[in-house]
Amino acid sequence: VQLQASGGGLVEAGGSLRLSCAASGRTFSRDAMGWFRQAPGKEREFVAAASDRGIATTYADSVKGRFTISRDDSQNTDYLHMTSLKPEDTAVYYCAADSWSSLIDGTARYWGQGTLVTVSS
């Protein structure tokens, strides 16, 4: 089972990026998928999650209204569309997949390798 995160890069403040997380090895259509991030010197924090079939979504307060999570179960992929980026959004972003509760509390079993997002001021 592998989750492959991609789409990170360098962007100016106010810009946008879309991260992708492609899963292989099993289908996650019945699982929640989500994103976490870890900034330099800080602990990993929850960013967003989408339940199976994207019925429910939830976001960290710090990204609410700016980030949107979506998923395409036909492609076994989920996305994090980030807009109005701020320098404080700079972090390595990790995708994860598992039950809804484990996404929320960070104990998900399946993790991607991370993709770096750098927002310049």
Side-chain angles (χ1 to χ4, degrees):
V1 177
Q2 185 177 19
L3 298 179
Q4 182 72 39
S6 62
L10 174 64
V11 63
E12 291 184 350
S16 301
L17 278 176
R18 189 182 77 161
L19 306 183
S20 301
C21 178
S24 60
R26 57 162 281 186
T27 178
F28 287 95
S29 59
R30 295 188 177 185
D31 296 286
M33 299 184 78
W35 293 87
F36 292 76
R37 68 186 181 185
Q38 187 167 20
K42 295 187 177 181
E43 294 187 353
R44 185 182 66 194
E45 64 175 356
F46 170 80
V47 176
S51 68
D52 63 293
R53 291 168 290 167
I55 292 174
T57 57
T58 189
Y59 299 89
D61 288 342
S62 58
V63 307
K64 204 170 291 184
R66 300 187 298 121
F67 291 11
T68 302
I69 188 171
S70 63
R71 55 191 295 167
D72 182 348
D73 289 334
S74 69
Q75 300 294 322
N76 220 19
T77 299
D78 80 309
Y79 305 94
L80 185 68
H81 187 203
M82 308 183 293
T83 65
S84 301
L85 283 162
K86 305 175 182 180
E88 51 263 44
D89 294 317
T90 295
V92 176
Y93 284 71
Y94 298 90
C95 59
D98 205 341
S99 66
W100 177 258
S101 61
S102 68
L103 261 293
I104 300 303
D105 66 18
T107 61
R109 289 173 292 172
Y110 307 105
W111 292 84
Q113 85 290 359
T115 184
L116 176 62
V117 172
T118 303
V119 184
S120 63
S121 58

